[in-house]
Structure formats: C-alpha cells, structure tokens
Tab-separated table of all heavy atoms in Angstrom:
chain	number	residue	atom	x	y	z
A	1	MET	N	0.823	-1.209	0.000
A	1	MET	CA	0.000	0.000	0.000
A	1	MET	C	0.857	1.259	0.000
A	1	MET	O	0.523	2.262	-0.645
A	1	MET	CB	-0.923	-0.006	1.213
A	1	MET	CG	-2.256	-0.682	0.966
A	1	MET	SD	-3.304	0.290	-0.151
A	1	MET	CE	-3.774	1.637	0.938
A	2	GLY	N	1.964	1.236	0.738
A	2	GLY	CA	2.855	2.394	0.733
A	2	GLY	C	3.395	2.677	-0.660
A	2	GLY	O	3.410	3.827	-1.112
A	3	LEU	N	3.815	1.620	-1.338
A	3	LEU	CA	4.337	1.776	-2.692
A	3	LEU	C	3.245	2.178	-3.673
A	3	LEU	O	3.465	3.007	-4.573
A	3	LEU	CB	5.002	0.476	-3.136
A	3	LEU	CG	6.314	0.143	-2.420
A	3	LEU	CD1	6.677	-1.332	-2.615
A	3	LEU	CD2	7.438	1.034	-2.947
A	4	LEU	N	2.056	1.588	-3.530
A	4	LEU	CA	0.945	1.940	-4.410
A	4	LEU	C	0.527	3.392	-4.204
A	4	LEU	O	0.226	4.106	-5.176
A	4	LEU	CB	-0.247	1.007	-4.134
A	4	LEU	CG	-1.494	1.195	-4.994
A	4	LEU	CD1	-1.173	1.016	-6.471
A	4	LEU	CD2	-2.598	0.222	-4.570
A	5	THR	N	0.538	3.854	-2.950
A	5	THR	CA	0.220	5.254	-2.670
A	5	THR	C	1.241	6.181	-3.315
A	5	THR	O	0.881	7.200	-3.923
A	5	THR	CB	0.195	5.492	-1.142
A	5	THR	OG1	-0.768	4.617	-0.545
A	5	THR	CG2	-0.173	6.934	-0.827
A	6	LEU	N	2.517	5.825	-3.198
A	6	LEU	CA	3.576	6.619	-3.837
A	6	LEU	C	3.395	6.643	-5.350
A	6	LEU	O	3.572	7.691	-5.993
A	6	LEU	CB	4.941	6.036	-3.474
A	6	LEU	CG	6.162	6.710	-4.111
A	6	LEU	CD1	6.247	8.171	-3.702
A	6	LEU	CD2	7.441	5.975	-3.721
A	7	ALA	N	3.013	5.499	-5.929
A	7	ALA	CA	2.809	5.432	-7.379
A	7	ALA	C	1.660	6.333	-7.818
A	7	ALA	O	1.762	7.048	-8.827
A	7	ALA	CB	2.523	3.989	-7.791
A	8	ILE	N	0.572	6.328	-7.057
A	8	ILE	CA	-0.585	7.153	-7.424
A	8	ILE	C	-0.258	8.632	-7.279
A	8	ILE	O	-0.555	9.450	-8.177
A	8	ILE	CB	-1.802	6.764	-6.561
A	8	ILE	CG1	-2.276	5.352	-6.936
A	8	ILE	CG2	-2.936	7.768	-6.742
A	8	ILE	CD1	-3.349	4.793	-6.023
A	9	ILE	N	0.375	9.012	-6.162
A	9	ILE	CA	0.714	10.428	-5.941
A	9	ILE	C	1.701	10.924	-6.993
A	9	ILE	O	1.527	12.005	-7.573
A	9	ILE	CB	1.293	10.618	-4.520
A	9	ILE	CG1	0.209	10.365	-3.472
A	9	ILE	CG2	1.870	12.022	-4.362
A	9	ILE	CD1	0.719	10.375	-2.043
A	10	SER	N	2.752	10.127	-7.266
A	10	SER	CA	3.738	10.540	-8.261
A	10	SER	C	3.129	10.579	-9.659
A	10	SER	O	3.532	11.396	-10.492
A	10	SER	CB	4.953	9.605	-8.240
A	10	SER	OG	4.570	8.263	-8.500
A	11	GLY	N	2.161	9.706	-9.912
A	11	GLY	CA	1.485	9.733	-11.205
A	11	GLY	C	0.733	11.030	-11.421
A	11	GLY	O	0.844	11.671	-12.474
A	12	PHE	N	-0.026	11.445	-10.408
A	12	PHE	CA	-0.755	12.706	-10.519
A	12	PHE	C	0.196	13.897	-10.565
A	12	PHE	O	-0.097	14.909	-11.199
A	12	PHE	CB	-1.725	12.862	-9.343
A	12	PHE	CG	-3.017	12.107	-9.513
A	12	PHE	CD1	-3.294	10.992	-8.741
A	12	PHE	CD2	-3.960	12.507	-10.454
A	12	PHE	CE1	-4.474	10.282	-8.901
A	12	PHE	CE2	-5.148	11.817	-10.623
A	12	PHE	CZ	-5.407	10.689	-9.846
A	13	ALA	N	1.349	13.766	-9.902
A	13	ALA	CA	2.292	14.894	-9.839
A	13	ALA	C	3.107	15.043	-11.123
A	13	ALA	O	3.392	16.164	-11.552
A	13	ALA	CB	3.228	14.714	-8.639
A	14	PHE	N	3.493	13.918	-11.744
A	14	PHE	CA	4.475	13.986	-12.821
A	14	PHE	C	3.944	13.599	-14.199
A	14	PHE	O	4.582	13.910	-15.204
A	14	PHE	CB	5.683	13.103	-12.481
A	14	PHE	CG	6.408	13.549	-11.245
A	14	PHE	CD1	6.389	12.770	-10.091
A	14	PHE	CD2	7.101	14.743	-11.217
A	14	PHE	CE1	7.055	13.172	-8.940
A	14	PHE	CE2	7.776	15.165	-10.080
A	14	PHE	CZ	7.748	14.375	-8.941
A	15	LEU	N	2.818	12.899	-14.271
A	15	LEU	CA	2.249	12.578	-15.575
A	15	LEU	C	1.329	13.706	-16.014
A	15	LEU	O	0.693	14.356	-15.178
A	15	LEU	CB	1.489	11.252	-15.528
A	15	LEU	CG	2.334	9.997	-15.238
A	15	LEU	CD1	1.461	8.752	-15.251
A	15	LEU	CD2	3.458	9.852	-16.256
A	16	ASP	N	1.258	13.923	-17.317
A	16	ASP	CA	0.481	15.057	-17.826
A	16	ASP	C	-0.994	14.948	-17.455
A	16	ASP	O	-1.604	15.916	-17.015
A	16	ASP	CB	0.633	15.155	-19.355
A	16	ASP	CG	2.044	15.555	-19.760
A	16	ASP	OD1	2.725	16.199	-18.934
A	16	ASP	OD2	2.458	15.208	-20.872
A	17	ASN	N	-1.571	13.778	-17.628
A	17	ASN	CA	-2.999	13.604	-17.347
A	17	ASN	C	-3.254	12.152	-16.996
A	17	ASN	O	-3.268	11.294	-17.883
A	17	ASN	CB	-3.839	14.029	-18.558
A	17	ASN	CG	-5.340	13.941	-18.272
A	17	ASN	OD1	-5.747	13.597	-17.161
A	17	ASN	ND2	-6.145	14.255	-19.268
A	18	MET	N	-3.468	11.859	-15.721
A	18	MET	CA	-3.677	10.483	-15.280
A	18	MET	C	-4.995	9.907	-15.789
A	18	MET	O	-5.218	8.706	-15.739
A	18	MET	CB	-3.656	10.423	-13.749
A	18	MET	CG	-2.258	10.464	-13.153
A	18	MET	SD	-1.418	8.875	-13.241
A	18	MET	CE	-2.148	8.029	-11.837
A	19	PHE	N	-5.893	10.795	-16.258
A	19	PHE	CA	-7.176	10.325	-16.780
A	19	PHE	C	-7.244	10.456	-18.303
A	19	PHE	O	-8.330	10.478	-18.885
A	19	PHE	CB	-8.336	11.083	-16.119
A	19	PHE	CG	-8.522	10.732	-14.675
A	19	PHE	CD1	-7.994	11.545	-13.687
A	19	PHE	CD2	-9.191	9.578	-14.309
A	19	PHE	CE1	-8.153	11.224	-12.339
A	19	PHE	CE2	-9.362	9.242	-12.971
A	19	PHE	CZ	-8.836	10.064	-11.985
A	20	ALA	N	-6.070	10.557	-18.948
A	20	ALA	CA	-6.040	10.522	-20.413
A	20	ALA	C	-6.546	9.173	-20.894
A	20	ALA	O	-6.576	8.195	-20.139
A	20	ALA	CB	-4.613	10.764	-20.913
A	21	GLN	N	-6.926	9.100	-22.153
A	21	GLN	CA	-7.598	7.907	-22.671
A	21	GLN	C	-6.781	6.637	-22.431
A	21	GLN	O	-7.313	5.611	-22.045
A	21	GLN	CB	-7.889	8.079	-24.161
A	21	GLN	CG	-8.694	6.915	-24.741
A	21	GLN	CD	-9.060	7.151	-26.195
A	21	GLN	OE1	-8.663	8.142	-26.794
A	21	GLN	NE2	-9.834	6.249	-26.765
A	22	HIS	N	-5.444	6.707	-22.624
A	22	HIS	CA	-4.632	5.501	-22.509
A	22	HIS	C	-4.289	5.157	-21.059
A	22	HIS	O	-3.735	4.097	-20.786
A	22	HIS	CB	-3.345	5.664	-23.330
A	22	HIS	CG	-2.427	6.738	-22.824
A	22	HIS	ND1	-2.769	8.067	-22.826
A	22	HIS	CD2	-1.178	6.665	-22.276
A	22	HIS	CE1	-1.788	8.774	-22.327
A	22	HIS	NE2	-0.810	7.947	-21.976
A	23	LEU	N	-4.611	6.072	-20.115
A	23	LEU	CA	-4.309	5.828	-18.707
A	23	LEU	C	-5.552	5.735	-17.827
A	23	LEU	O	-5.447	5.364	-16.658
A	23	LEU	CB	-3.413	6.951	-18.158
A	23	LEU	CG	-1.975	7.020	-18.677
A	23	LEU	CD1	-1.295	8.263	-18.137
A	23	LEU	CD2	-1.204	5.767	-18.279
A	24	ALA	N	-6.715	6.090	-18.375
A	24	ALA	CA	-7.922	6.199	-17.553
A	24	ALA	C	-8.262	4.887	-16.852
A	24	ALA	O	-8.548	4.868	-15.645
A	24	ALA	CB	-9.104	6.660	-18.408
A	25	HIS	N	-8.223	3.769	-17.601
A	25	HIS	CA	-8.588	2.489	-16.999
A	25	HIS	C	-7.624	2.122	-15.868
A	25	HIS	O	-8.046	1.695	-14.790
A	25	HIS	CB	-8.593	1.377	-18.053
A	25	HIS	CG	-9.677	1.521	-19.072
A	25	HIS	ND1	-9.501	2.240	-20.243
A	25	HIS	CD2	-10.954	1.056	-19.093
A	25	HIS	CE1	-10.622	2.197	-20.944
A	25	HIS	NE2	-11.522	1.496	-20.270
A	26	LYS	N	-6.338	2.299	-16.118
A	26	LYS	CA	-5.345	1.966	-15.090
A	26	LYS	C	-5.524	2.845	-13.861
A	26	LYS	O	-5.441	2.365	-12.718
A	26	LYS	CB	-3.931	2.123	-15.651
A	26	LYS	CG	-2.851	1.786	-14.637
A	26	LYS	CD	-1.457	1.991	-15.191
A	26	LYS	CE	-0.400	1.721	-14.119
A	26	LYS	NZ	0.970	1.950	-14.602
A	27	THR	N	-5.753	4.136	-14.073
A	27	THR	CA	-5.905	5.063	-12.949
A	27	THR	C	-7.117	4.720	-12.105
A	27	THR	O	-7.033	4.608	-10.875
A	27	THR	CB	-6.023	6.506	-13.472
A	27	THR	OG1	-4.862	6.838	-14.237
A	27	THR	CG2	-6.169	7.481	-12.319
A	28	ILE	N	-8.258	4.526	-12.755
A	28	ILE	CA	-9.499	4.248	-12.021
A	28	ILE	C	-9.405	2.930	-11.267
A	28	ILE	O	-9.766	2.829	-10.089
A	28	ILE	CB	-10.693	4.248	-12.997
A	28	ILE	CG1	-10.928	5.659	-13.549
A	28	ILE	CG2	-11.958	3.735	-12.298
A	28	ILE	CD1	-11.912	5.713	-14.700
A	29	LEU	N	-8.875	1.900	-11.930
A	29	LEU	CA	-8.776	0.591	-11.281
A	29	LEU	C	-7.712	0.588	-10.187
A	29	LEU	O	-7.883	-0.075	-9.157
A	29	LEU	CB	-8.480	-0.486	-12.321
A	29	LEU	CG	-9.638	-0.816	-13.267
A	29	LEU	CD1	-9.171	-1.733	-14.396
A	29	LEU	CD2	-10.790	-1.472	-12.508
A	30	SER	N	-6.616	1.321	-10.376
A	30	SER	CA	-5.603	1.428	-9.332
A	30	SER	C	-6.177	2.119	-8.096
A	30	SER	O	-5.906	1.705	-6.955
A	30	SER	CB	-4.374	2.189	-9.834
A	30	SER	OG	-3.738	1.493	-10.876
A	31	LEU	N	-6.957	3.168	-8.312
A	31	LEU	CA	-7.612	3.843	-7.191
A	31	LEU	C	-8.614	2.914	-6.505
A	31	LEU	O	-8.721	2.912	-5.272
A	31	LEU	CB	-8.312	5.113	-7.683
A	31	LEU	CG	-7.390	6.265	-8.102
A	31	LEU	CD1	-8.196	7.368	-8.778
A	31	LEU	CD2	-6.643	6.831	-6.899
A	32	ALA	N	-9.328	2.108	-7.296
A	32	ALA	CA	-10.274	1.155	-6.716
A	32	ALA	C	-9.545	0.114	-5.870
A	32	ALA	O	-9.986	-0.233	-4.762
A	32	ALA	CB	-11.072	0.471	-7.826
A	33	ALA	N	-8.402	-0.386	-6.382
A	33	ALA	CA	-7.606	-1.345	-5.609
A	33	ALA	C	-7.096	-0.701	-4.326
A	33	ALA	O	-7.096	-1.335	-3.256
A	33	ALA	CB	-6.442	-1.859	-6.450
A	34	TRP	N	-6.664	0.559	-4.414
A	34	TRP	CA	-6.185	1.277	-3.224
A	34	TRP	C	-7.292	1.361	-2.169
A	34	TRP	O	-7.045	1.142	-0.976
A	34	TRP	CB	-5.724	2.673	-3.615
A	34	TRP	CG	-5.028	3.420	-2.518
A	34	TRP	CD1	-3.682	3.491	-2.294
A	34	TRP	CD2	-5.638	4.195	-1.477
A	34	TRP	NE1	-3.410	4.249	-1.186
A	34	TRP	CE2	-4.594	4.700	-0.656
A	34	TRP	CE3	-6.959	4.507	-1.152
A	34	TRP	CZ2	-4.841	5.504	0.455
A	34	TRP	CZ3	-7.196	5.307	-0.040
A	34	TRP	CH2	-6.161	5.793	0.751
A	35	VAL	N	-8.500	1.662	-2.612
A	35	VAL	CA	-9.641	1.755	-1.679
A	35	VAL	C	-9.918	0.399	-1.028
A	35	VAL	O	-10.182	0.310	0.176
A	35	VAL	CB	-10.896	2.269	-2.419
A	35	VAL	CG1	-12.143	2.125	-1.536
A	35	VAL	CG2	-10.709	3.729	-2.827
A	36	ILE	N	-9.829	-0.679	-1.816
A	36	ILE	CA	-10.067	-2.023	-1.270
A	36	ILE	C	-9.038	-2.361	-0.196
A	36	ILE	O	-9.386	-2.799	0.910
A	36	ILE	CB	-10.036	-3.072	-2.399
A	36	ILE	CG1	-11.251	-2.902	-3.315
A	36	ILE	CG2	-10.022	-4.495	-1.816
A	36	ILE	CD1	-11.199	-3.763	-4.559
A	37	PHE	N	-7.768	-2.134	-0.491
A	37	PHE	CA	-6.728	-2.448	0.487
A	37	PHE	C	-6.808	-1.524	1.696
A	37	PHE	O	-6.583	-1.958	2.837
A	37	PHE	CB	-5.346	-2.366	-0.161
A	37	PHE	CG	-5.022	-3.517	-1.060
A	37	PHE	CD1	-4.800	-3.327	-2.419
A	37	PHE	CD2	-4.942	-4.810	-0.557
A	37	PHE	CE1	-4.496	-4.399	-3.244
A	37	PHE	CE2	-4.641	-5.884	-1.377
A	37	PHE	CZ	-4.424	-5.678	-2.721
A	38	ALA	N	-7.119	-0.236	1.464
A	38	ALA	CA	-7.251	0.700	2.582
A	38	ALA	C	-8.413	0.300	3.492
A	38	ALA	O	-8.304	0.366	4.728
A	38	ALA	CB	-7.448	2.123	2.056
A	39	THR	N	-9.514	-0.125	2.888
A	39	THR	CA	-10.665	-0.587	3.678
A	39	THR	C	-10.299	-1.808	4.510
A	39	THR	O	-10.662	-1.914	5.690
A	39	THR	CB	-11.844	-0.921	2.753
A	39	THR	OG1	-12.202	0.236	1.988
A	39	THR	CG2	-13.061	-1.388	3.557
A	40	LEU	N	-9.561	-2.728	3.899
A	40	LEU	CA	-9.138	-3.933	4.621
A	40	LEU	C	-8.237	-3.576	5.793
A	40	LEU	O	-8.430	-4.078	6.918
A	40	LEU	CB	-8.412	-4.872	3.654
A	40	LEU	CG	-7.727	-6.092	4.282
A	40	LEU	CD1	-8.724	-6.953	5.049
A	40	LEU	CD2	-7.016	-6.915	3.213
A	41	LEU	N	-7.254	-2.715	5.580
A	41	LEU	CA	-6.336	-2.347	6.654
A	41	LEU	C	-7.058	-1.603	7.775
A	41	LEU	O	-6.822	-1.864	8.970
A	41	LEU	CB	-5.196	-1.493	6.098
A	41	LEU	CG	-4.217	-2.216	5.166
A	41	LEU	CD1	-3.227	-1.225	4.560
A	41	LEU	CD2	-3.476	-3.315	5.901
A	42	PHE	N	-7.942	-0.676	7.414
A	42	PHE	CA	-8.703	0.061	8.422
A	42	PHE	C	-9.605	-0.884	9.211
A	42	PHE	O	-9.668	-0.812	10.453
A	42	PHE	CB	-9.542	1.148	7.742
A	42	PHE	CG	-10.459	1.878	8.692
A	42	PHE	CD1	-9.976	2.923	9.466
A	42	PHE	CD2	-11.796	1.511	8.814
A	42	PHE	CE1	-10.817	3.592	10.353
A	42	PHE	CE2	-12.637	2.170	9.693
A	42	PHE	CZ	-12.143	3.219	10.467
A	43	SER	N	-10.292	-1.773	8.513
A	43	SER	CA	-11.227	-2.685	9.176
A	43	SER	C	-10.489	-3.710	10.036
A	43	SER	O	-10.997	-4.136	11.074
A	43	SER	CB	-12.106	-3.383	8.139
A	43	SER	OG	-12.858	-2.432	7.401
A	44	HIS	N	-9.296	-4.100	9.588
A	44	HIS	CA	-8.494	-5.015	10.413
A	44	HIS	C	-8.088	-4.332	11.718
A	44	HIS	O	-8.143	-4.949	12.800
A	44	HIS	CB	-7.256	-5.447	9.640
A	44	HIS	CG	-6.271	-6.239	10.455
A	44	HIS	ND1	-6.533	-7.506	10.922
A	44	HIS	CD2	-5.023	-5.925	10.897
A	44	HIS	CE1	-5.487	-7.956	11.607
A	44	HIS	NE2	-4.574	-7.012	11.611
A	45	HIS	N	-7.718	-3.054	11.611
A	45	HIS	CA	-7.259	-2.325	12.794
A	45	HIS	C	-8.411	-1.961	13.730
A	45	HIS	O	-8.285	-2.099	14.959
A	45	HIS	CB	-6.525	-1.055	12.345
A	45	HIS	CG	-6.028	-0.215	13.480
A	45	HIS	ND1	-5.016	-0.620	14.324
A	45	HIS	CD2	-6.423	1.021	13.926
A	45	HIS	CE1	-4.794	0.321	15.231
A	45	HIS	NE2	-5.635	1.314	15.014
A	46	ARG	N	-9.545	-1.526	13.156
A	46	ARG	CA	-10.640	-1.027	13.991
A	46	ARG	C	-11.726	-2.066	14.269
A	46	ARG	O	-12.363	-2.036	15.320
A	46	ARG	CB	-11.283	0.202	13.315
A	46	ARG	CG	-10.353	1.383	13.156
A	46	ARG	CD	-9.856	1.903	14.524
A	46	ARG	NE	-10.957	2.374	15.335
A	46	ARG	CZ	-11.430	3.604	15.335
A	46	ARG	NH1	-10.839	4.520	14.542
A	46	ARG	NH2	-12.423	3.968	16.105
C-alpha cells in the first residue's frame, strides 16, 4: 500500500494527465484497488 500510494501520488504529480484515454482504466482501477486495500487495513485495525 505504501508503494501503491507513492505510485498514485507521483502519477498525478508527474504525468500530464492520469485520466487521459490511454491511462484512464489503469488510474481508475488502481484507485479502486487502493480503496479495497485501505478498507481492509482500516477494518483489520478497527
């Protein structure tokens, strides 16, 4: 999750458009995966 978070943040910071046509699917699904893992970690802890 730490690495995935770094990848998402650096993508938004350094790529021209993370929601461009050739990146939209990867961006949306990567964010969805991040939410799934974040939910799991939060629910495991709380």
Side-chain angles (χ1 to χ4, degrees):
M1 271 290 287
L3 290 163
L4 182 59
T5 302
L6 177 61
I8 292 172
I9 292 174
S10 59
F12 279 110
F14 298 112
L15 295 181
D16 292 335
N17 183 2
M18 282 281 280
F19 290 98
Q21 185 176 4
H22 65 295
L23 291 174
H25 292 89
K26 180 182 177 182
T27 302
I28 293 169
L29 289 171
S30 296
L31 289 171
W34 189 94
V35 170
I36 291 172
F37 285 117
T39 302
L40 172 58
L41 292 174
F42 175 82
S43 300
H44 172 68
H45 179 68
R46 297 299 298 271

